[in-house]
């Protein structure tokens, strides 16, 4: 069944074969039926002719036997009414017999019916056409059929010898059967058509006594049939000789046969019956050529019907095949091409890579990733992003030539295979052209320049398998991504960094359950130097790798989805330890929790966090969550709604690393913020760098304008503290006050 679905023409071939089988079956059945029909028709026709002719002969023999002796006796007594008696015999069946004659044993004609009067009467023993049968008549007591002859009309004589009581021959009475009349036996009996011949064959001397195909066959009586033809006929009838038929009773059943004639009719099919008393065969023959022509007419009728049907089926199947091929082509195109840009996709790359390898001794694979595409989608919508990708794909295709293969790998990633070697790639500047294509993309009268980072791997230097090249190019692209809008060729050193990242990802799984991850807390003080709160900072100590900084494993955890388990651990651990410290010291202070973008995007995050805070026993008024500007790039309305829900519970909202991201002031004014944190990168250079100082002053001014407090991170010197205090900063955090502390050290810090 699967094969039939795959190839509809197989169904058509089966249909053609079935049609041919049906045509053959119908044709054979029709031929057999036609043969049976004509065989039955011939049998019926022969039976009719045979029965009628035999009945006439028997009737005639009876009449002659009853009246003949009396007529001859009266003739010998010179009775003048003999002719009247003969006329009376003819009147019994005038449509069949042309007349009667009384013949002497020496062949002389003694008397005739009145219609046969002639002045020149022949002697039957002297005429070649009558001599043999006349002599034979005088040797038998049955009626004998003579040869057909003209006298002067075409007649078939039937003679019977009349004997005295003592067995002596008295004479012969002859009756002449009419062969050419519209009435009577020969006029009333019919044939199947001009293709059908009825023959009465006298077996004693092999003369045909009558032959017709609707019209009397010309010259049928003139010569006996040849020995070879007669033998062929007898063989066809499966009869060696007529002499072998000794039974005087006519055959009950007809004999069917087939033979080849020598009279121009060719092959014939026949049915015959034999009358042993009167020694004749009644034969019906149909020309084989007629049967073949009639069959061919029927066959060609079937053939035309079948051809019309098959042509109709062919047109239908061709239409279905055309639609199927079109659908298959569309499906193959959809399977191997990106639906948005119409570029070949990853599936096409997988299927064609071996061909590409066989055709190129060396080539390069470029992994292209857009730099700022996510921001475009978030700020302008995905439909605008799709339009940019379509335009970008068109620009890429205009940039490269036919020898290149451009693939949309997924999202905002593209792969380009170029036959250029590593040296050629530098000379033709293909990567630079790709980067130029990522600039000034116009959609709906808006110009976008997302830029792109490109990683390059060379075949066979950096790998021979597709996965190896993609991995190498991806590693190089990852390195280029750090600098944005740059190009990097794969180097083993880059791979080491990549492999380190992979190892970190593997080792990070379950680290919190193994006790490798723990919490530290860095104090936060107010302008008076009093403890205001602590920031919860996660740490990871691996038995082999040692201390792994958060800025290394947290991004990996966010990318791999492990941040959910680690985030849950941070919240639970921090709430639990700070709750104990507050109980031990009797002091209350604020706990700041860092929340990742992935955590914040989880459904019902706010309700989940509130539930944990309530369970810890710490008042929500002493809890603050720190978010980064990257979070604001996500769905702003959802972020705003979640922050408002947390703030309604009494939880403070702090914006971490302010000034290093891409948020705008128009976005900030819509958010429920309680605190803004100045990034350490500004604080580090606040004394010697006027620009850094201006940035700090501006951030503090923004905080004032929005009614939020301002906390400076990374305060390490007295000078930085004094400068920040002069600028109006509210709170401080850094090594100048304390390094991050364990829960035990924090408890001691508070006590002191």
């Amino acid at each position: 069944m699967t094969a039939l679905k795959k190839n509809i023409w197989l169904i058509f071939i089966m249909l053609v074969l079935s049609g041919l089988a049906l045509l053959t079956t119908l044709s054979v059945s029709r031929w057999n039926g036609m043969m049976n029909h004509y065989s039955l028709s011939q049998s019926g026709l022969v039976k009719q002719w045979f029965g009628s002719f035999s009945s006439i002969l028997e009737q005639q023999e009876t009449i002659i036997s009853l009246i003949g002796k009396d007529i001859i006796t009266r003739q010998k007594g010179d009775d003048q009414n003999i002719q009247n008696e003969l006329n009376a015999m003819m009147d019994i069946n005038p449509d069949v017999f042309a007349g009667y004659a009384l013949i002497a044993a020496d062949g002389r004609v003694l008397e005739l019916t009145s219609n046969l009067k002639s002045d020149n009467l022949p002697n039957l023993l002297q005429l070649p056409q009558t001599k043999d049968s006349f002599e034979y008549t005088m040797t038998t007591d049955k009626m004998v059929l003579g040869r057909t002859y003209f006298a002067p009309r075409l007649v078939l004589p039937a003679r019977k010898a009349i004997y005295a009581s003592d067995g002596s021959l008295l004479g012969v009475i002859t009756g002449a059967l009419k062969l050419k009349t519209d009435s009577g036996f020969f006029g009333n009996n019919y044939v199947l058509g001009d293709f059908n011949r009825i023959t009465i064959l006298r077996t004693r001397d092999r003369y045909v006594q009558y032959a017709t195909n609707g019209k009397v066959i010309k010259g049928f009586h003139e010569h006996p049939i040849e020995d070879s033809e007669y033998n062929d006929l007898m063989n066809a009838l499966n009869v060696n000789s007529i002499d072998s038929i000794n039974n005087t009773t006519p055959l009950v059943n007809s004999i069917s046969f087939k033979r080849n004639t020598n009279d121009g009719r060719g092959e014939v099919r026949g049915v015959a019956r034999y009358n042993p008393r009167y020694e004749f065969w009644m034969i019906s023959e149909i020309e084989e050529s007629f049967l073949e022509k009639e069959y061919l007419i029927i066959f060609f009728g079937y053939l035309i019907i079948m051809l019309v049907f098959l042509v109709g089926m062919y047109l239908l199947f061709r239409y279905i095949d055309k639609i199927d091929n079109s659908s298959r082509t569309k499906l193959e195109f959809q399977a191997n091409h990106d639906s948005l840009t119409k570029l070949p996709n990853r599936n096409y790359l997988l299927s064609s890579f071996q061909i590409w390898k066989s055709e190129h001794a060396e080539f390069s694979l470029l992994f292209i990733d857009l730099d700022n595409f996510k921001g475009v989608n978030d700020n302008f919508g995905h439909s605008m992003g799709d339009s940019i990708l379509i335009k970008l794909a068109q620009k890429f295709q205009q940039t490269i030539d036919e020898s290149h293969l451009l693939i949309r790998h997924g999202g905002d990633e593209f792969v380009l295979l170029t036959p250029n070697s590593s040296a050629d790639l530098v000379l033709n500047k293909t990567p630079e052209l790709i980067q130029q294509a990522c600039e000034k993309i116009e959609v709906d009268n808006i110009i976008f320049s997302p830029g792109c980072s490109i990683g390059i791997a060379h075949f066979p230097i950096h790998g021979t398998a597709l996965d190896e090249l993609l991995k190498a190019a991806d590693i190089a692209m990852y390195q280029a991504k750090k600098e944005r809008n740059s190009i990097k060729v794969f180097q083993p050193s880059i791979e080491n960094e990549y492999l380190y990242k992979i190892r970190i990802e593997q080792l990070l799984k379950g680290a919190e359950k193994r006790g490798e991850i723990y919490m530290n807390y860095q104090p936060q003080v107010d302008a008076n130097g009093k403890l205001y709160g602590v920031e919860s900072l996660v740490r990871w100590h691996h038995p082999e790798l040692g201390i792994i900084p958060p800025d290394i494993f947290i991004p990996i955890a966010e990318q791999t989805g492990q941040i959910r388990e680690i985030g849950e651990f941070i919240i639970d651990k921090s709430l639990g330890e700070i709750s104990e410290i507050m109980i031990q010291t009797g002091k209350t202070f604020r706990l700041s929790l860092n929340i990742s973008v992935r955590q914040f995007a989880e459904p019902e995050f706010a309700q989940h966090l509130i539930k944990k805070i309530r369970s810890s026993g710490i008042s929500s008024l002493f809890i603050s969550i720190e978010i980064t500007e990257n979070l604001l790039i996500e769905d702003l309305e959802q972020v705003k709604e979640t922050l408002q829900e947390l703030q309604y519970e009494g939880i403070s909202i702090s914006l971490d690393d302010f000034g290093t991201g891409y948020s705008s002031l128009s976005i900030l004014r819509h958010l429920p913020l309680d605190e803004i944190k100045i990034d350490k990168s500004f604080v580090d250079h606040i004394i010697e760098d006027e620009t850094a100082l201006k940035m700090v002053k501006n951030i503090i001014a923004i905080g004032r304008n929005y009614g939020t407090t301002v906390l400076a991170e990374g305060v390490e010197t007295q000078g930085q503290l004094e400068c920040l205090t002069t600028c109006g900063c509210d709170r401080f955090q850094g090594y100048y006050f304390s390094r991050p502390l364990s829960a035990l050290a924090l408890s001691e810090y508070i006590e002191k």
Side-chain angles (χ1 to χ4, degrees):
M1 192 65 183
T2 305
L4 297 182
K5 291 180 179 179
K6 287 184 178 179
N7 190 353
I8 193 172
W9 288 111
L10 182 59
I11 301 177
F12 179 74
I13 291 173
M14 294 179 65
L15 190 63
V16 171
L17 294 176
S18 300
L20 291 175
L22 179 61
L23 177 65
T24 302
T25 302
L26 287 176
S27 300
V28 171
S29 176
R30 187 68 180 111
W31 173 262
N32 293 333
M34 191 174 72
M35 293 303 100
N36 185 55
H37 165 73
Y38 279 108
S39 178
L40 291 174
S41 298
Q42 281 186 292
S43 296
L45 187 64
V46 167
K47 184 177 180 181
Q48 178 184 336
W49 275 74
F50 184 86
S52 299
F53 190 55
S54 298
S55 178
I56 289 173
L57 295 180
E58 291 169 1
Q59 180 186 28
Q60 183 61 25
E61 185 176 6
T62 301
I63 292 172
I64 293 175
S65 299
L66 293 174
I67 302 175
K69 187 174 182 180
D70 180 62
I71 291 175
I72 293 176
T73 302
R74 292 170 62 185
Q75 191 272 338
K76 290 183 179 294
D78 295 330
D79 192 332
Q80 299 298 315
N81 295 321
I82 298 302
Q83 187 178 71
N84 293 335
E85 292 295 331
L86 293 175
N87 288 338
M89 287 179 62
M90 186 181 69
D91 290 339
I92 295 175
N93 203 344
D95 292 334
V96 176
F97 284 89
Y100 284 93
L102 178 60
I103 314 297
D106 58 3
R108 290 177 296 110
V109 178
L110 301 177
E111 191 62 66
L112 298 168
T113 54
S114 58
N115 65 322
L116 297 178
K117 274 295 183 180
S118 175
D119 296 331
N120 185 21
L121 295 175
N123 187 303
L124 298 188
L125 289 174
Q126 296 175 357
L127 293 176
Q129 63 267 35
T130 59
K131 181 178 183 297
D132 178 71
S133 60
F134 185 76
E135 289 178 344
Y136 179 61
T137 301
M138 293 187 294
T139 64
T140 181
D141 61 350
K142 63 184 179 182
M143 188 173 69
V144 176
L145 296 178
R147 279 175 53 189
T148 301
Y149 65 97
F150 280 98
R153 64 182 66 86
L154 192 63
V155 295
L156 171 60
R159 303 184 180 95
K160 182 172 176 60
I162 305 299
Y163 295 93
S165 299
D166 58 0
S168 60
L169 179 63
L170 298 177
V172 177
I173 293 180
T174 299
L177 280 75
K178 296 178 181 179
L179 294 184
K180 283 189 174 182
T181 59
D182 294 333
S183 59
F185 172 76
F186 293 100
N188 292 330
N189 283 283
Y190 66 94
V191 295
L192 300 177
D194 58 2
F195 56 86
N196 175 220
R197 178 178 293 188
I198 296 293
T199 302
I200 301 175
L201 174 65
R202 188 171 64 178
T203 56
R204 187 169 52 81
D205 57 3
R206 303 175 184 175
Y207 269 92
V208 174
Q209 297 190 281
Y210 184 71
T212 180
N213 61 358
K215 297 180 181 180
V216 177
I217 305 301
K218 183 179 180 181
F220 70 85
H221 63 287
E222 295 176 354
H223 304 285
I225 64 174
E226 298 177 359
D227 290 343
S228 59
E229 184 176 357
Y230 180 77
N231 291 333
D232 289 342
L233 176 60
M234 291 302 104
N235 289 332
L237 291 169
N238 199 23
V239 178
N240 293 328
S241 69
I242 295 302
D243 295 336
S244 65
I245 304 177
N246 299 317
N247 191 359
T248 58
T249 303
L251 294 176
V252 175
N253 296 319
S254 301
I255 299 175
S256 298
F257 65 91
K258 182 178 179 181
R259 72 185 183 97
N260 189 16
T261 65
N262 297 323
D263 55 10
R265 289 181 296 156
E267 289 277 341
V268 295
R269 290 176 180 265
V271 174
R273 278 198 174 201
Y274 181 67
N275 191 314
R277 181 168 183 81
Y278 301 115
E279 302 179 60
F280 70 85
W281 281 97
M282 182 68 71
I283 303 171
S284 171
E285 294 177 323
I286 295 179
E287 298 171 12
E288 186 85 1
S289 60
F290 164 77
L291 296 175
E292 291 173 352
K293 288 178 182 177
E294 183 167 305
Y295 170 73
L296 286 176
I297 292 173
I298 298 171
F299 174 78
F300 281 114
Y302 288 157
L303 183 61
I304 289 172
I305 293 173
M306 190 193 77
L307 288 177
V308 170
F309 172 75
L310 289 180
V311 168
M313 287 296 100
Y314 171 76
L315 295 176
L316 175 63
F317 275 70
R318 188 175 70 171
Y319 175 72
I320 294 173
D321 185 56
K322 183 178 180 181
I323 294 177
D324 185 59
N325 287 335
S326 177
S327 300
R328 188 182 298 111
T329 301
K330 289 180 180 178
L331 290 174
E332 289 178 354
F333 184 85
Q334 291 173 1
N336 294 302
H337 290 77
D338 174 52
S339 59
L340 179 66
T341 63
K342 309 306 178 188
L343 291 175
N345 58 14
R346 178 177 173 83
N347 187 58
Y348 181 86
L349 178 61
L350 291 171
S351 61
S352 62
F353 185 72
Q354 292 299 326
I355 299 176
W356 184 273
K357 281 175 57 177
S358 64
E359 294 178 349
H360 302 88
E362 55 180 344
F363 58 88
S364 299
L365 186 148
L366 281 66
F367 201 103
I368 306 163
D369 185 80
L370 301 185
D371 289 333
N372 301 311
F373 189 69
K374 189 176 186 302
V376 173
N377 274 334
D378 293 335
N379 293 317
F380 294 92
H382 288 279
S383 60
M384 179 65 76
D386 290 345
S387 299
I388 291 174
L389 289 174
I390 294 172
K391 287 276 189 179
L392 183 60
Q394 293 172 352
K395 292 185 71 175
F396 281 166
Q397 288 177 308
Q398 293 169 0
T399 299
I400 64 177
D401 56 41
E402 295 181 354
S403 63
H404 295 64
L405 176 60
L406 179 63
I407 301 291
R408 186 187 178 194
H409 197 253
D412 59 348
E413 297 175 343
F414 296 85
V415 171
L416 177 65
L417 293 182
T418 170
N420 306 107
S421 64
S422 56
D424 295 334
L425 197 62
V426 176
L427 294 176
N428 64 27
K429 298 184 178 180
T430 299
E432 286 84 353
L433 294 175
I434 293 295
Q435 282 194 324
Q436 291 175 14
C438 295
E439 303 296 329
K440 298 181 180 179
I441 302 172
E442 183 176 353
V443 178
D444 295 339
N445 298 320
I446 302 176
I447 304 298
F448 294 91
S449 296
C452 65
S453 299
I454 301 175
I456 303 174
H458 301 302
F459 173 88
I461 301 172
H462 299 143
T464 56
L466 177 60
D467 288 343
E468 294 174 345
L469 291 173
L470 285 173
K471 176 183 175 182
D474 186 40
I475 293 172
M477 185 276 295
Y478 175 77
Q479 190 69 19
K481 204 76 173 174
K482 293 181 178 180
E483 301 177 13
R484 290 186 177 272
N485 203 34
S486 62
I487 303 168
K488 294 292 182 182
V489 178
F490 175 77
Q491 300 293 337
S493 58
I494 301 177
E495 184 177 20
N496 292 335
E497 181 180 339
Y498 178 81
L499 293 176
Y500 177 74
K501 173 186 172 184
I502 295 298
R503 190 180 183 195
I504 292 296
E505 177 183 336
Q506 295 173 343
L507 295 176
L508 187 59
K509 293 178 181 178
E512 74 281 1
K513 296 178 182 178
R514 297 191 299 269
E516 298 173 7
I517 293 180
Y518 58 93
M519 303 308 301
N520 276 351
Y521 305 94
Q522 188 170 31
Q524 299 170 333
V525 299
D526 59 17
N528 297 320
K530 293 182 179 181
L531 177 68
Y532 173 78
V534 296
E535 179 182 2
S536 176
L537 301 173
V538 65
R539 296 291 184 263
W540 179 21
H541 182 273
H542 188 267
E544 297 179 12
L545 302 181
I547 297 295
I548 302 172
D551 58 350
I552 292 180
F553 72 84
I554 289 297
I556 294 175
E558 289 181 334
Q559 292 173 7
T560 59
Q562 298 181 58
I563 191 63
R564 180 174 183 177
E565 290 77 12
I566 295 176
E568 290 283 335
F569 174 82
I570 291 173
I571 293 172
D572 292 340
K573 192 70 171 177
S574 299
L575 290 173
E577 290 183 341
I578 296 302
S579 175
E580 289 182 6
I581 292 174
M582 287 184 178
I583 294 173
Q584 291 174 3
T585 62
K587 301 288 181 69
T588 57
F589 49 89
R590 188 183 72 168
L591 170 64
S592 293
L593 299 170
N594 289 283
I595 305 299
S596 74
V597 175
R598 290 292 183 93
Q599 282 180 279
F600 206 85
E602 291 179 4
E604 301 181 353
F605 165 75
Q607 295 89 333
H608 187 62
L609 177 61
I610 291 170
K611 184 178 179 180
K612 285 182 176 293
I613 294 172
R614 290 174 179 175
S615 299
S616 69
I618 301 176
S619 172
S620 299
L621 298 176
F622 295 108
I623 301 297
S624 175
I625 64 167
E626 296 189 12
I627 60 174
T628 63
E629 290 184 74
N630 290 334
L631 180 62
L632 306 182
I633 298 177
E634 303 296 327
D635 189 342
L636 183 61
E637 290 301 319
Q638 181 183 351
V639 170
K640 180 180 178 181
E641 184 178 333
T642 303
L643 292 178
Q644 287 175 339
E645 186 176 357
L646 293 172
Q647 197 176 55
Y648 181 79
E649 185 68 18
I651 299 171
S652 301
I653 310 299
S654 177
L655 181 59
D656 196 12
D657 301 333
F658 183 72
T660 61
Y662 301 95
S663 60
S664 64
L665 296 180
S666 62
I667 294 178
L668 291 179
R669 68 186 181 89
H670 292 292
L671 296 176
L673 298 176
D674 298 293
E675 182 182 74
I676 295 176
K677 297 183 74 173
I678 303 174
D679 188 68
K680 183 178 183 298
S681 61
F682 298 121
V683 175
D684 287 342
H685 307 287
I686 191 173
I687 296 177
E688 70 276 6
D689 188 345
E690 185 66 25
T691 301
L693 179 60
K694 289 181 179 180
M695 283 294 297
V696 169
K697 290 181 178 179
N698 288 334
I699 292 172
I700 293 173
I702 291 172
R704 293 284 182 267
N705 291 334
Y706 284 102
T708 63
T709 57
V710 179
L711 185 149
E713 292 182 304
V715 180
E716 296 183 355
T717 66
Q718 179 68 29
Q720 291 173 343
L721 175 62
E722 291 175 355
C723 184
L724 289 168
T725 303
T726 303
C727 292
C729 186
D730 302 304
R731 296 165 187 161
F732 311 94
Q733 176 182 344
Y735 284 3
Y736 180 74
F737 304 101
S738 174
R739 290 178 175 274
L741 305 171
S742 65
L744 179 60
L746 176 62
S747 180
E748 294 175 354
Y749 176 86
I750 293 173
E751 291 289 352
K752 293 179 181 179

